[in-house]
Amino acid sequence: MKNIDPTQTAAWQKLKIHFEEIKETHLSTLFKEDEKRFEKYSLEWRDFFIDLSKNRINDQTKALLIQLAKECGLEEAIQSMFNGEKINVTEGRAVLHTVLRDKGSDELYLDDQALKAEVYKVLAQIKTFTEDLHLGRIRGYSGKIITDLINIGIGGSDLGIAFAHEALRPYHHPGIQTHFVSNVDASNIVEVTKDLNPETCLFVIASKSFTTQETMTNAMTARSWFLDRVKDEEHISKHFVAVSTNVEKVKAFGINPKNMFVFWDWVGGRFSLSSAIGLSLACSIGYKNFEDMLEGMYQMDQHFQRTSFEENIPVLLAMISIWYNNFFDAAAEAILPYDDYLDKLALFLQQGFMESNGKYLSRAGKKVNYQTGQVLFGSAGTNGQHSFYQLIHQGTRMIPCDFIAPAISHHQVGDHHVKLLANFFAQPEALAFGTNPIEGQSDPDFKDVFRVFEGNRPTNSILIKKITPETLGSLIAMYEHKIFVQGIIWNIFSFDQWGVELGKKLAKAILPELENSATVTSHDNSTNGLINVWKRMSK
Ligand code: F6P
């Protein structure tokens, strides 16, 4: 992959000049100038309608952002990813989550390995397992049917499944409850297991590496919990399965490799929902729905790979976000789904965006002199409106927002959905156009000054016909590709995560120091102090 400093491109220089020209222009002016702005800046794709018109852009901005993408080598980079080049350079790996849902007929080879054949094998294994579970052919050691599935994993081995599990609740298979254990805090596993019956539980230990401290600790605790009640190691095989890339570690843990679902090092943890990591999800929504989610992802992959940048949804979303991040100095973005089932979307995307693009080193290994990454937050509308929206409306910072809503709700109850959607339409309107109750008044009432909304706050509105496994898959893939595009423009390596290593290493060193009463002196003054205070407090 090329090493191109985006700030040295002609497009960046032009964008700097253009920014000075447009930075004060109000969205209401942009709308007044062009009656067809909505039609011009919106895209319709399958069950998606995406309105980009409430962004602080004009035709020149769009053209320059696309020029920037081209000058930064985005076209080649997209092909490099889809073709399996080892674009995760610092880990020496290809980035091929798109192969996991590729319905095309061509095989893809990586180091002479036929990848799709392997993917299909695992999908067939997931299908059989899921169907057997639902038909009661998989049973616990005492012959009872499995009623509770516990996914033990963290980060990419938890967040995507937990999000999609909630998002697709209307599709859940009756009779199976899925639970999630991720935190190493014992409260998590204690609360999850306290009312469960070991005879009807299935633990899915999900870890790409099978070495992650939190997951391994929880897996060992689950094993002890099970054996304390069941008293026979023989029964483990009926109650524990693993999802991992690491066969040796799975064996060493005591799980029979025939109870293992594999994936590969070319699938990044935070991009692994469409791999065997999705096993728990497939068990809760059924294999057909899981397959539909993969289909939705594939459709978005195709759109991303084949559509010109002018009409390319992930590309446009990414480039507009770069416009705000690098020119308007916006540091955060809000993800605001007007669908309670999508409440965990921001939590899921936080890892995708922040672990991928929170990097200060360029692809040349030099410190960049521009901002990368964005802080992502959000929650389901309308809850957020009664919490953090004040800052978005009248704060001093620009927080670009993605408003997302289904046109059709899963529940036609009274007027809930139209009320919800009235808010979904109202908020971007208020943010864009604001209101000025004191306009033209020479001596306004002091209190009225605070009722002014200056507006000019940018939003994307994403209307989706209905949240189904397929549209959800497309939504997830849309954001996956937005992350990729931003990493290419920022000239960083989006698919490693070295920044999480130091904390892990230090925690490993501190752990034995917490297991005795000796005064700790091996760290800095503050860390020593805190550990020693804890030793005193916890007596
Ligand atoms: O947080 C670091 C990280 O490596 C993530 O990238 C990953 O999703 C998570 O830990 C869990 O890793 P694993 O699936 O190997 O247990």
Side-chain angles (χ1 to χ4, degrees), residues 14 23 44 48 61 104 128 180 185 193 208 219 232 247 266 288 303 330 391 403 414 425 491 501 513 533-534:
K14 286 188 203 160
K23 67 179 184 197
E44 196 154 13
F48 283 61
T61 329
T128 308
F180 294 88
D185 185 340
T193 51
K208 181 176 171 182
D232 189 346
V247 186
W266 41 265
K288 166 76 176 65
H303 166 83
L391 187 145
F403 283 83
F425 294 122
N491 197 31
E501 292 305 319
E513 296 175 330
V533 168
W534 171 75

Side-chain angles (χ1 to χ4, degrees), residues 154-157 207-209 212 215 269-270 351 355 497 500 504:
I154 197 164
S157 302
S207 174
K208 181 176 171 182
S209 58
T212 304
T215 302
R270 51 194 174 271
Q351 188 199 11
E355 202 171 72
Q497 54 286 316
V500 302
K504 287 185 196 172

Side-chain angles (χ1 to χ4, degrees), residues 45-46 48 101-103 274 288-304 468-478 480-481:
W45 176 81
R46 295 172 69 84
F48 283 61
R101 56 263 187 152
D102 186 349
K103 299 281 180 336
S274 44
K288 166 76 176 65
N289 287 321
F290 185 68
E291 215 177 24
D292 286 351
M293 184 187 79
L294 299 185
E295 171 67 24
M297 291 175 149
Y298 173 64
Q299 293 300 338
M300 183 54 82
D301 295 343
Q302 291 282 294
H303 166 83
F304 176 57
T468 63
E470 191 173 326
T471 57
L472 187 82
S474 297
L475 183 73
I476 293 169
M478 177 188 91
E480 286 178 346
H481 298 316

Side-chain angles (χ1 to χ4, degrees), residues 139-146 197-201 226 230 239:
R139 292 186 176 232
Y141 71 92
S142 63
K144 289 193 177 157
I145 57 166
I146 300 294
N197 175 359
E199 290 172 272
T200 56
C201 276
F226 181 78
V230 168
H239 293 269

